[in-house]
Amino acid sequence: MFSRNEHSSVIRALASSVHQTKMFATFAVRDTEQVRLEMDDRQRHKAQNIYCTKPTSKDLEQLKRYRDNNDRRSREVVQIWEDTISSSIENLGKEKHIVLEQVCIAAVDTFRLNIAQRCIQELYKDFPNSSRVKILESMVYEADENYNKALHVLNDIIKQDCTNSAAKKRKIAILKALELNTEAVKELTEYLKTFMADVEAWQELSEIYINEHDYGKAAFCVEELILHNPHNHLLHQRFADIKYTQGGIENLEIARTYYYQAIKLNPKNIRALYGIYLTTTAVLNSQKNLPQKKKDSALKVVDWTLKQIKKKYSDAEALEDIQECLAALEI
């Protein structure tokens, strides 16, 4: 039998042993839980890496297809960025910079400026002084309607390189957006002194002159376009429209000649047919002392154009050729 003191000592020893066993068990559970969590983290990280790598190669091919086909597809590009590329930029390889540029432009189109800014930051890491990246930055400012900052960036680029056509075009676009047509015309004329073969610039300048009702200069710009693309019937039609708008016997005769050329290049151009009718009728009404021979010839032309127009509108098969007619309207 234990004495009272010995019995108390045994009870305390047993209690201490049970407490230590519970502590060891708790530590063991915590260690096991920690190990499990660490393993889950490793597996999750490995799964993320696998997820980010495999789709990226497929999506890169899709993005390349968009670029090769000159297909903007801004929403689809941004969606690809959000799904896979944004978390694996370093896995882009050699196509990293061109993909970032593509995503940046798509983000500006869809007004996802945070994505565009991130792409620009990534590009600046590799090209801190690139004028191409600066132009992208100006596009972000332009999309945010911060035109002063955009113009400041573009002016700095032009000062460093006066032959940078992309920067000059973006500056002209901003001036046109601000409805500063006088400044836009000045910049365009200066631009065309260096880049005389830029068809888009001549077309843009002609449209500004038409909006300003300066038809003489607009006609000159369209003549330059005809020199670059003499087989485009719409350019001949546009030049004829301008000459008809200017008015006067001489301009009407020139307009009729170019309407004839448009019909020769594309017999389905109904607007050119109607232009021939209008110009011929205007010449008949403005010249009362026209010789009878010329008058009869003009009346035959009027009768012929009206018959052709009625025939084209009454032709049932014309509805089936609607896609072909719409394709013919592309300049």
Side-chain angles (χ1 to χ4, degrees), residues 255-271:
R256 184 165 59 173
T257 303
Y258 277 86
Y259 280 132
Y260 277 129
Q261 184 64 21
I263 284 292
K264 183 180 178 181
L265 293 170
N266 182 17
K268 295 183 179 180
N269 192 328
I270 297 179
R271 182 166 176 170

Side-chain angles (χ1 to χ4, degrees), residues 50-298:
I50 293 172
Y51 176 77
C52 293
T53 302
K54 286 186 178 180
T56 299
S57 59
K58 183 190 295 184
D59 293 332
L60 284 176
E61 293 177 3
Q62 185 66 36
L63 293 175
K64 187 177 185 301
R65 196 176 300 115
Y66 290 155
R67 294 194 302 271
D68 293 341
N69 297 333
N70 198 21
D71 196 356
R72 199 91 164 194
R73 294 292 185 93
S74 299
R75 291 182 180 177
E76 289 83 351
V77 171
V78 171
Q79 190 63 46
I80 291 172
W81 165 269
E82 291 182 327
D83 290 343
T84 56
I85 299 177
S86 61
S87 58
S88 58
I89 295 177
E90 298 303 324
N91 295 333
L92 293 175
K94 294 180 180 179
E95 295 186 354
K96 174 184 175 181
H97 304 114
I98 193 168
V99 168
L100 287 172
E101 183 181 32
Q102 184 180 8
V103 172
C104 181
I105 294 173
V108 170
D109 288 344
T110 55
F111 203 70
R112 302 292 298 277
L113 301 186
N114 57 330
I115 296 175
Q117 289 169 351
R118 184 184 172 189
C119 294
I120 290 171
Q121 290 174 358
E122 294 291 334
L123 288 169
Y124 267 134
K125 291 178 182 179
D126 297 327
F127 307 101
N129 299 316
S130 172
S131 60
R132 190 164 173 173
V133 181
K134 290 179 181 178
I135 291 173
L136 293 176
E137 184 180 7
S138 72
M139 290 172 65
V140 174
Y141 289 135
E142 186 180 348
D144 200 27
E145 295 185 357
N146 195 341
Y147 297 117
N148 290 329
K149 282 189 176 181
L151 287 172
H152 179 71
V153 173
L154 293 171
N155 287 329
D156 288 342
I157 297 171
I158 295 170
K159 284 181 182 178
Q160 295 175 3
D161 182 11
C162 61
T163 61
N164 193 316
S165 62
K168 289 188 174 183
K169 283 185 174 183
R170 288 250 56 91
K171 182 178 179 180
I172 293 165
I174 292 173
L175 293 174
K176 190 177 178 183
L178 294 172
E179 297 184 353
L180 301 174
N181 290 338
T182 304
E183 289 80 357
V185 167
K186 182 179 177 181
E187 290 292 333
L188 262 174
T189 50
E190 289 295 323
Y191 173 85
L192 285 168
K193 289 179 182 178
T194 307
F195 305 96
M196 288 179 259
D198 194 328
V199 176
E200 292 179 353
W202 284 112
Q203 186 171 344
E204 189 68 33
L205 186 58
S206 70
E207 290 177 0
I208 294 176
Y209 280 136
I210 289 172
N211 292 332
E212 294 293 319
H213 306 291
D214 194 344
Y215 299 113
K217 293 179 180 178
F220 176 82
C221 295
V222 177
E223 282 181 309
E224 290 290 333
L225 291 170
I226 292 173
L227 288 174
H228 286 92
N229 191 359
H231 301 292
N232 191 321
H233 68 100
L234 291 176
L235 294 177
H236 293 273
Q237 175 196 304
R238 180 173 295 181
F239 183 78
D241 289 342
I242 294 171
K243 285 297 180 180
Y244 177 79
T245 306
Q246 283 183 282
I249 297 298
E250 184 179 353
N251 288 326
L252 289 173
E253 292 289 352
I254 294 172
R256 184 165 59 173
T257 303
Y258 277 86
Y259 280 132
Y260 277 129
Q261 184 64 21
I263 284 292
K264 183 180 178 181
L265 293 170
N266 182 17
K268 295 183 179 180
N269 192 328
I270 297 179
R271 182 166 176 170
L273 275 173
Y274 191 62
I276 294 171
Y277 167 76
L278 289 176
T279 51
T280 306
T281 304
V283 170
L284 283 172
N285 294 333
S286 61
Q287 289 184 329
K288 295 181 180 180
N289 298 325
L290 192 68
Q292 188 62 36
K293 188 176 180 180
K294 288 187 176 180
K295 188 175 182 180
D296 292 340
S297 177

